[in-house]
Amino acid sequence: MEVTALCIHVWVNVFVLLAAQVHFAQKADAAFPHISPNRLQFFVYESFSVRCGKLDLFTEWRVMRSHGNIPANCSETPNTSASSCTIKKTFQRHSGEYWCENEQGERSDAVNITVTGGSVILDIPAQPVIEGNDVSLRCMKENSESRHIADFYKDGVGLDSKYKSSIAIQNISKSDEGLYKCSMSGVGESPASRLLVFKQSEETPPSHSVSPQTFILLWTLSSVVLVALLLLMGVLLSRKHKEPEASRTTAPRLLEDNIIYSSVNYKPLTANGPTDLAKQSKAGRLTVQAN
Protein backbone atom coordinates (compact mmCIF):
# COMPACT_ATOMS: atom_id res chain seq x y z
CA MET A 1 0.00 0.00 0.00
CA GLU A 2 2.86 2.38 0.76
CA VAL A 3 4.39 1.73 -2.67
CA THR A 4 1.03 2.38 -4.34
CA ALA A 5 0.63 5.69 -2.53
CA LEU A 6 4.18 6.67 -3.53
CA CYS A 7 3.50 5.91 -7.21
CA ILE A 8 0.31 7.98 -7.18
CA HIS A 9 2.12 10.85 -5.44
CA VAL A 10 4.91 10.86 -8.05
CA TRP A 11 2.40 10.71 -10.92
CA VAL A 12 0.41 13.67 -9.53
CA ASN A 13 3.58 15.76 -9.16
CA VAL A 14 4.65 14.99 -12.73
CA PHE A 15 1.19 15.90 -14.00
CA VAL A 16 1.17 19.24 -12.17
CA LEU A 17 4.67 20.10 -13.43
CA LEU A 18 3.73 19.32 -17.03
CA ALA A 19 0.53 21.35 -16.72
CA ALA A 20 2.49 24.38 -15.50
CA GLN A 21 4.98 24.05 -18.36
CA VAL A 22 2.18 23.85 -20.92
CA HIS A 23 0.46 26.88 -19.40
CA PHE A 24 3.58 29.01 -19.95
CA ALA A 25 4.12 27.63 -23.45
CA GLN A 26 0.52 28.33 -24.43
CA LYS A 27 0.70 31.90 -23.15
CA ALA A 28 3.69 32.58 -25.40
CA ASP A 29 2.15 30.67 -28.30
CA ALA A 30 -1.14 32.58 -28.17
CA ALA A 31 0.33 36.06 -27.54
CA PHE A 32 0.96 36.69 -31.24
CA PRO A 33 0.17 34.82 -34.46
CA HIS A 34 3.15 33.19 -36.14
CA ILE A 35 4.17 34.66 -39.51
CA SER A 36 6.25 32.65 -41.98
CA PRO A 37 8.64 33.93 -43.19
CA ASN A 38 9.19 35.87 -39.97
CA ARG A 39 8.94 39.46 -41.24
CA LEU A 40 6.40 42.25 -41.36
CA GLN A 41 6.94 43.56 -44.90
CA PHE A 42 6.42 41.87 -48.27
CA PHE A 43 6.58 42.74 -51.94
CA VAL A 44 3.52 42.15 -54.11
CA TYR A 45 3.27 38.63 -55.54
CA GLU A 46 5.17 37.17 -52.59
CA SER A 47 3.56 34.65 -50.24
CA PHE A 48 3.29 34.30 -46.46
CA SER A 49 1.50 32.15 -43.90
CA VAL A 50 -0.20 33.03 -40.62
CA ARG A 51 -0.66 30.39 -37.93
CA CYS A 52 -2.38 30.48 -34.56
CA GLY A 53 -1.32 28.75 -31.38
CA LYS A 54 -3.72 27.43 -28.75
CA LEU A 55 -4.58 29.09 -25.48
CA ASP A 56 -5.77 25.75 -24.10
CA LEU A 57 -5.90 22.14 -25.23
CA PHE A 58 -9.55 22.11 -26.25
CA THR A 59 -10.18 25.50 -27.92
CA GLU A 60 -9.66 26.04 -31.62
CA TRP A 61 -8.18 29.37 -32.69
CA ARG A 62 -8.76 30.85 -36.14
CA VAL A 63 -6.78 33.44 -38.07
CA MET A 64 -8.53 36.78 -38.48
CA ARG A 65 -7.53 39.95 -40.35
CA SER A 66 -8.83 43.46 -40.74
CA HIS A 67 -10.69 43.88 -44.01
CA GLY A 68 -11.04 47.64 -44.05
CA ASN A 69 -12.46 48.25 -40.58
CA ILE A 70 -14.34 44.94 -40.49
CA PRO A 71 -12.78 41.75 -39.02
CA ALA A 72 -12.84 38.87 -41.51
CA ASN A 73 -11.46 35.39 -41.90
CA CYS A 74 -7.95 35.27 -43.26
CA SER A 75 -9.09 32.80 -45.89
CA GLU A 76 -10.79 34.44 -48.86
CA THR A 77 -13.06 31.41 -49.25
CA PRO A 78 -16.52 32.26 -47.82
CA ASN A 79 -17.51 30.58 -44.54
CA THR A 80 -14.03 29.16 -44.08
CA SER A 81 -11.97 29.62 -40.93
CA ALA A 82 -8.88 27.74 -39.79
CA SER A 83 -5.99 27.96 -37.37
CA SER A 84 -3.62 28.68 -40.27
CA CYS A 85 -3.87 30.71 -43.44
CA THR A 86 -1.59 30.98 -46.46
CA ILE A 87 -1.73 33.80 -48.99
CA LYS A 88 0.10 32.50 -52.03
CA LYS A 89 0.12 35.71 -54.04
CA THR A 90 0.03 38.94 -52.05
CA PHE A 91 -1.41 42.27 -53.08
CA GLN A 92 -1.55 45.59 -51.27
CA ARG A 93 -5.10 44.77 -50.12
CA HIS A 94 -3.59 42.03 -47.95
CA SER A 95 -1.93 44.68 -45.77
CA GLY A 96 -3.40 45.11 -42.30
CA GLU A 97 -3.67 43.52 -38.88
CA TYR A 98 -3.72 39.77 -38.37
CA TRP A 99 -4.66 38.11 -35.08
CA CYS A 100 -6.01 34.89 -33.57
CA GLU A 101 -9.50 34.53 -32.14
CA ASN A 102 -11.60 31.73 -30.65
CA GLU A 103 -15.33 31.08 -30.57
CA GLN A 104 -15.68 32.93 -27.25
CA GLY A 105 -14.31 36.11 -28.83
CA GLU A 106 -10.95 36.01 -27.03
CA ARG A 107 -8.19 37.58 -29.12
CA SER A 108 -4.44 37.48 -29.28
CA ASP A 109 -2.31 40.55 -29.95
CA ALA A 110 -2.31 41.68 -33.56
CA VAL A 111 0.54 41.71 -36.06
CA ASN A 112 0.59 44.52 -38.63
CA ILE A 113 1.69 43.22 -42.04
CA THR A 114 2.50 45.57 -44.92
CA VAL A 115 2.45 44.57 -48.59
CA THR A 116 4.03 47.33 -50.67
CA GLY A 117 4.02 48.11 -54.35
CA GLY A 118 7.36 49.87 -53.95
CA SER A 119 10.85 48.56 -54.65
CA VAL A 120 12.26 48.52 -51.08
CA ILE A 121 11.23 46.70 -47.93
CA LEU A 122 12.75 46.31 -44.47
CA ASP A 123 13.32 42.77 -43.26
CA ILE A 124 12.12 43.21 -39.67
CA PRO A 125 10.92 40.30 -37.48
CA ALA A 126 7.19 39.85 -37.01
CA GLN A 127 7.57 38.08 -33.68
CA PRO A 128 8.59 40.12 -30.61
CA VAL A 129 12.27 39.86 -29.70
CA ILE A 130 13.24 38.79 -26.18
CA GLU A 131 15.33 41.38 -24.34
CA GLY A 132 19.05 40.54 -24.39
CA ASN A 133 19.03 38.85 -27.82
CA ASP A 134 20.66 40.14 -31.00
CA VAL A 135 18.60 41.33 -33.99
CA SER A 136 19.60 42.13 -37.56
CA LEU A 137 17.53 44.47 -39.77
CA ARG A 138 18.16 44.25 -43.53
CA CYS A 139 17.13 46.56 -46.33
CA MET A 140 15.97 44.58 -49.39
CA LYS A 141 15.50 45.61 -53.03
CA GLU A 142 12.83 43.93 -55.16
CA ASN A 143 14.06 41.18 -57.48
CA SER A 144 17.63 41.53 -56.24
CA GLU A 145 19.77 39.31 -54.06
CA SER A 146 22.66 41.76 -54.02
CA ARG A 147 23.53 43.85 -51.00
CA HIS A 148 22.85 47.55 -51.40
CA ILE A 149 23.97 50.43 -49.21
CA ALA A 150 21.01 51.81 -47.24
CA ASP A 151 20.12 54.36 -44.61
CA PHE A 152 18.17 53.27 -41.55
CA TYR A 153 15.80 55.25 -39.37
CA LYS A 154 14.18 54.73 -35.99
CA ASP A 155 11.16 56.88 -35.13
CA GLY A 156 12.21 59.24 -37.95
CA VAL A 157 15.79 59.67 -36.70
CA GLY A 158 18.69 58.46 -38.84
CA LEU A 159 20.91 55.67 -37.47
CA ASP A 160 24.61 55.17 -38.01
CA SER A 161 24.47 52.27 -40.47
CA LYS A 162 28.08 52.69 -41.66
CA TYR A 163 27.14 52.35 -45.36
CA LYS A 164 25.89 48.78 -45.08
CA SER A 165 22.79 46.95 -46.26
CA SER A 166 21.88 45.87 -42.71
CA ILE A 167 22.28 46.92 -39.11
CA ALA A 168 22.76 44.71 -36.06
CA ILE A 169 21.23 45.53 -32.71
CA GLN A 170 23.13 43.62 -30.05
CA ASN A 171 21.83 42.87 -26.58
CA ILE A 172 18.51 44.45 -27.47
CA SER A 173 16.54 46.23 -24.74
CA LYS A 174 13.13 47.82 -24.34
CA SER A 175 14.63 51.17 -25.38
CA ASP A 176 15.28 49.74 -28.88
CA GLU A 177 11.57 49.27 -29.47
CA GLY A 178 10.09 51.60 -32.09
CA LEU A 179 9.26 52.28 -35.77
CA TYR A 180 12.02 51.34 -38.21
CA LYS A 181 12.43 51.95 -41.93
CA CYS A 182 15.20 52.10 -44.52
CA SER A 183 15.92 53.85 -47.81
CA MET A 184 18.17 53.25 -50.81
CA SER A 185 19.47 56.19 -52.76
CA GLY A 186 17.90 56.30 -56.22
CA VAL A 187 15.68 53.27 -55.49
CA GLY A 188 13.15 54.18 -52.84
CA GLU A 189 12.10 53.95 -49.22
CA SER A 190 10.54 51.09 -47.29
CA PRO A 191 7.38 51.35 -45.20
CA ALA A 192 7.83 51.79 -41.43
CA SER A 193 7.15 48.83 -39.13
CA ARG A 194 7.32 48.50 -35.37
CA LEU A 195 9.94 46.33 -33.69
CA LEU A 196 8.54 44.84 -30.49
CA VAL A 197 10.73 43.85 -27.54
CA PHE A 198 9.61 41.60 -24.70
CA LYS A 199 11.21 42.39 -21.37
CA GLN A 200 12.81 39.44 -19.62
CA SER A 201 10.78 38.84 -16.46
CA GLU A 202 9.33 36.14 -14.25
CA GLU A 203 6.38 35.89 -16.63
CA THR A 204 8.61 35.11 -19.59
CA PRO A 205 8.01 31.45 -20.43
CA PRO A 206 11.07 29.20 -20.16
CA SER A 207 12.69 28.10 -23.40
CA HIS A 208 12.17 24.43 -22.54
CA SER A 209 8.38 24.69 -22.25
CA VAL A 210 6.59 21.74 -23.80
CA SER A 211 3.91 21.97 -26.43
CA PRO A 212 0.29 20.85 -25.80
CA GLN A 213 0.83 17.82 -28.05
CA THR A 214 3.91 16.80 -26.06
CA PHE A 215 1.99 17.30 -22.82
CA ILE A 216 -0.80 14.95 -23.98
CA LEU A 217 1.78 12.31 -24.97
CA LEU A 218 3.65 12.56 -21.66
CA TRP A 219 0.42 12.50 -19.67
CA THR A 220 -0.74 9.37 -21.54
CA LEU A 221 2.59 7.61 -21.02
CA SER A 222 2.69 8.46 -17.33
CA SER A 223 -0.88 7.15 -16.91
CA VAL A 224 0.01 3.89 -18.68
CA VAL A 225 3.07 3.45 -16.46
CA LEU A 226 0.99 4.07 -13.34
CA VAL A 227 -1.66 1.52 -14.36
CA ALA A 228 1.03 -1.04 -15.23
CA LEU A 229 2.66 -0.61 -11.81
CA LEU A 230 -0.67 -1.05 -10.03
CA LEU A 231 -1.48 -4.20 -12.04
CA LEU A 232 1.97 -5.64 -11.33
CA MET A 233 1.57 -5.00 -7.61
CA GLY A 234 -1.84 -6.67 -7.68
CA VAL A 235 -0.42 -9.79 -9.34
CA LEU A 236 2.45 -10.02 -6.85
CA LEU A 237 0.12 -9.67 -3.86
CA SER A 238 -2.23 -12.29 -5.29
CA ARG A 239 0.63 -14.79 -5.74
CA LYS A 240 1.87 -14.12 -2.21
CA HIS A 241 -1.51 -15.13 -0.70
CA LYS A 242 -1.80 -18.30 -2.81
CA GLU A 243 1.68 -19.70 -2.10
CA PRO A 244 0.91 -21.53 1.29
CA GLU A 245 -2.18 -23.27 -0.08
CA ALA A 246 -0.37 -24.31 -3.24
CA SER A 247 2.50 -25.92 -1.23
CA ARG A 248 0.06 -28.07 0.82
CA THR A 249 -1.86 -29.41 -2.16
CA THR A 250 1.09 -30.25 -4.37
CA ALA A 251 3.29 -32.19 -1.89
CA PRO A 252 1.27 -35.52 -1.82
CA ARG A 253 0.96 -35.47 -5.55
CA LEU A 254 4.73 -35.27 -5.97
CA LEU A 255 5.15 -38.49 -3.93
CA GLU A 256 2.59 -40.33 -6.06
CA ASP A 257 4.30 -39.23 -9.25
CA ASN A 258 7.53 -40.93 -8.18
CA ILE A 259 5.90 -44.42 -7.88
CA ILE A 260 6.46 -46.74 -10.86
CA TYR A 261 4.11 -49.69 -11.42
CA SER A 262 5.32 -52.70 -13.42
CA SER A 263 4.06 -56.20 -14.27
CA VAL A 264 5.66 -59.10 -16.08
CA ASN A 265 3.71 -61.97 -17.66
CA TYR A 266 5.52 -64.91 -19.17
CA LYS A 267 4.85 -68.49 -20.28
CA PRO A 268 7.37 -71.41 -20.25
CA LEU A 269 8.69 -72.25 -23.69
CA THR A 270 8.63 -75.82 -25.05
CA ALA A 271 10.99 -77.06 -27.67
CA ASN A 272 8.61 -78.97 -29.97
CA GLY A 273 10.10 -77.49 -33.04
CA PRO A 274 11.29 -74.30 -34.56
CA THR A 275 7.79 -73.18 -35.45
CA ASP A 276 6.37 -73.72 -31.95
CA LEU A 277 9.42 -72.03 -30.45
CA ALA A 278 8.84 -68.91 -32.51
CA LYS A 279 5.14 -68.83 -31.65
CA GLN A 280 5.80 -69.27 -27.97
CA SER A 281 8.49 -66.57 -28.06
CA LYS A 282 5.92 -64.13 -29.35
CA ALA A 283 3.50 -65.14 -26.61
CA GLY A 284 5.78 -63.93 -23.83
CA ARG A 285 5.40 -60.19 -23.21
CA LEU A 286 6.76 -57.63 -20.83
CA THR A 287 4.46 -54.81 -19.76
CA VAL A 288 5.67 -51.82 -17.84
CA GLN A 289 3.22 -49.18 -16.72
CA ALA A 290 4.33 -45.93 -15.17
CA ASN A 291 2.12 -43.16 -13.91
Side-chain angles (χ1 to χ4, degrees), residues 150-165:
D151 297 315
F152 293 85
Y153 302 86
K154 178 199 173 190
D155 297 328
V157 178
L159 300 175
D160 184 12
S161 57
K162 298 180 181 179
Y163 304 102
K164 294 182 178 180
S165 62

Side-chain angles (χ1 to χ4, degrees), residues 255-282:
L255 295 176
E256 294 178 2
D257 290 343
N258 292 329
I259 300 176
I260 299 176
Y261 300 92
S262 63
S263 61
V264 178
N265 298 324
Y266 65 92
K267 181 183 290 187
L269 298 178
T270 58
N272 293 330
T275 302
D276 292 340
L277 182 61
K279 290 181 180 180
Q280 293 179 20
S281 298
K282 293 181 179 179

Side-chain angles (χ1 to χ4, degrees), residues 222-260:
S222 63
S223 299
V224 170
V225 171
L226 177 65
V227 172
L229 288 174
L230 293 176
L231 290 175
L232 179 61
M233 291 177 61
V235 172
L236 293 176
L237 291 175
S238 177
R239 288 182 177 180
K240 185 176 181 181
H241 289 298
K242 290 182 178 181
E243 282 180 358
E245 181 180 355
S247 61
R248 290 194 301 269
T249 56
T250 56
R253 179 62 183 173
L254 292 175
L255 295 176
E256 294 178 2
D257 290 343
N258 292 329
I259 300 176
I260 299 176

Side-chain angles (χ1 to χ4, degrees), residues 145-206:
E145 296 295 332
S146 302
R147 295 179 178 272
H148 301 272
I149 296 174
D151 297 315
F152 293 85
Y153 302 86
K154 178 199 173 190
D155 297 328
V157 178
L159 300 175
D160 184 12
S161 57
K162 298 180 181 179
Y163 304 102
K164 294 182 178 180
S165 62
S166 63
I167 58 171
I169 306 175
Q170 297 180 343
N171 194 22
I172 197 168
S173 65
K174 196 70 176 177
S175 62
D176 294 312
E177 195 173 67
L179 283 172
Y180 288 81
K181 67 179 181 179
C182 67
S183 66
M184 292 182 182
S185 179
V187 180
E189 184 178 271
S190 75
S193 293
R194 180 170 293 277
L195 177 66
L196 295 177
V197 179
F198 269 0
K199 187 174 182 180
Q200 191 81 6
S201 65
E202 294 180 358
E203 294 183 358
T204 303

Side-chain angles (χ1 to χ4, degrees), residues 23-251:
H23 172 70
F24 284 122
Q26 290 163 351
K27 282 181 64 178
D29 204 32
F32 287 88
H34 295 262
I35 312 298
S36 180
N38 183 23
R39 52 186 167 97
L40 290 174
Q41 298 183 14
F42 296 89
F43 295 112
V44 292
Y45 304 125
E46 284 194 300
S47 66
F48 67 86
S49 298
V50 185
R51 180 176 58 85
C52 287
K54 291 183 177 181
L55 190 61
D56 56 63
L57 297 176
F58 310 102
T59 302
E60 288 294 332
W61 291 76
R62 58 183 181 270
V63 179
M64 304 291 291
R65 71 183 182 95
S66 57
H67 189 67
N69 293 324
I70 303 174
N73 293 328
C74 176
S75 174
E76 296 184 346
T77 304
N79 302 322
T80 300
S81 62
S83 60
S84 63
C85 173
T86 300
I87 299 176
K88 296 182 179 180
K89 186 179 290 187
T90 61
F91 296 96
Q92 287 180 277
R93 59 185 171 85
H94 293 119
S95 298
E97 292 185 338
Y98 289 76
W99 67 90
C100 300
E101 187 173 310
N102 62 16
E103 296 179 354
Q104 289 72 37
E106 297 175 324
R107 293 177 49 163
S108 70
D109 293 323
V111 173
N112 198 340
I113 292 178
T114 301
V115 180
T116 178
S119 299
V120 179
I121 65 171
L122 177 65
D123 184 359
I124 183 171
Q127 296 301 121
V129 182
I130 303 298
E131 191 176 36
N133 290 343
D134 298 336
V135 178
S136 178
L137 306 181
R138 184 164 63 101
C139 203
M140 301 171 60
K141 181 183 177 182
E142 187 179 23
N143 300 323
S144 176
E145 296 295 332
S146 302
R147 295 179 178 272
H148 301 272
I149 296 174
D151 297 315
F152 293 85
Y153 302 86
K154 178 199 173 190
D155 297 328
V157 178
L159 300 175
D160 184 12
S161 57
K162 298 180 181 179
Y163 304 102
K164 294 182 178 180
S165 62
S166 63
I167 58 171
I169 306 175
Q170 297 180 343
N171 194 22
I172 197 168
S173 65
K174 196 70 176 177
S175 62
D176 294 312
E177 195 173 67
L179 283 172
Y180 288 81
K181 67 179 181 179
C182 67
S183 66
M184 292 182 182
S185 179
V187 180
E189 184 178 271
S190 75
S193 293
R194 180 170 293 277
L195 177 66
L196 295 177
V197 179
F198 269 0
K199 187 174 182 180
Q200 191 81 6
S201 65
E202 294 180 358
E203 294 183 358
T204 303
S207 58
H208 57 274
S209 297
V210 297
S211 65
Q213 292 78 11
T214 305
F215 167 74
I216 294 175
L217 176 61
L218 292 176
W219 180 84
T220 303
L221 290 176
S222 63
S223 299
V224 170
V225 171
L226 177 65
V227 172
L229 288 174
L230 293 176
L231 290 175
L232 179 61
M233 291 177 61
V235 172
L236 293 176
L237 291 175
S238 177
R239 288 182 177 180
K240 185 176 181 181
H241 289 298
K242 290 182 178 181
E243 282 180 358
E245 181 180 355
S247 61
R248 290 194 301 269
T249 56
T250 56

